[in-house]
Amino acid sequence: MDVLLHIAIGIGLSAAAGFRILVPFLIAGVAAQQGYLTLSPSMAWMGTTPAILALTAATALEVLIYFVPVVDNLMDAVELPAAAIAGTLLTGAVTGGDMSPFLQWSLALIAGGGVASSTQAFTGLARLASTAAGGPVGNIAVSTAELASSTILSVLAIAVPILVLVLVGILLYLALRRRKRRRVY
């Protein structure tokens, strides 16, 4: 059961990385430092004070960049592959324990990287649609929603991982259903 909870935490953090890459790293680091989250030994550095300070500065910069029109759309192009890497690292950071390293990182790549890149692709498309419909004002609204989603998902992934796993499944289903509906018309 413990392994399943850690997988759920990893997938939840990975989904949050699809909205904002650095927010889940920061929240996971703080949770690890406070004793609420156990990181794999190779990723324990995330819970150190220097890492948390660096993640805080980097997260603030990432958040501010997304409020700059035009630059936010460019960042989406850069963050799609970065989200896959972040999702893989986050899932790998919280899984492990009795799991073999091969299984740990295979799971991290497939589940964590896949969820994070799917979420990032969906938010990138939402940003393009908001740019077309509302210009910079729409992008600010999308940026705010993404920041809130990333923060809430990260906290919930650590506090109630099974709920987040269900929530991520529902969101992916709705995104795929919406995409499928667009193909029909």
Side-chain angles (χ1 to χ4, degrees):
M1 186 67 168
D2 194 42
V3 172
L4 293 176
L5 285 176
H6 282 94
I7 291 170
I9 291 168
I11 291 172
L13 290 171
S14 296
F19 290 109
R20 280 290 172 277
I21 289 180
L22 296 172
V23 168
F25 280 100
L26 177 60
I27 291 174
V30 170
Q33 188 179 55
Q34 298 300 315
Y36 294 111
L37 181 65
T38 303
L39 299 172
S40 66
S42 63
M43 300 297 283
W45 60 268
M46 285 173 42
T48 65
T49 300
I52 291 171
L53 291 173
L55 286 168
T56 300
T59 300
L61 182 61
E62 180 188 29
V63 168
L64 290 174
I65 284 174
Y66 267 99
F67 285 104
V68 178
V70 180
V71 176
D72 56 352
N73 287 315
L74 294 174
M75 281 296 290
D76 279 333
V78 171
E79 286 203 353
L80 184 57
I85 294 167
T88 301
L89 289 174
L90 284 162
T91 301
V94 297
T95 57
D98 297 333
M99 196 180 296
S100 76
F102 177 76
L103 181 58
Q104 173 190 7
W105 290 103
S106 296
L107 176 70
L109 179 63
I110 294 166
V115 167
S117 58
S118 297
T119 306
Q120 174 60 34
F122 176 73
T123 60
L125 293 174
R127 183 174 311 286
L128 285 174
S130 75
T131 299
V137 174
N139 283 0
I140 291 171
V142 169
S143 292
T144 303
E146 288 173 351
L147 176 59
S149 298
S150 183
T151 304
I152 291 167
L153 263 178
S154 295
V155 170
L156 288 177
I158 295 166
V160 272
I162 300 302
L163 174 66
V164 171
L165 196 58
V166 170
L167 181 62
V168 167
I170 290 169
L171 290 173
L172 288 174
Y173 169 76
L174 291 173
L176 290 173
R177 187 173 145 201
R178 183 176 179 163
R179 183 175 171 200
K180 192 176 187 179
R181 209 181 296 162
R182 285 186 180 175
R183 285 186 188 172
V184 172
Y185 297 114

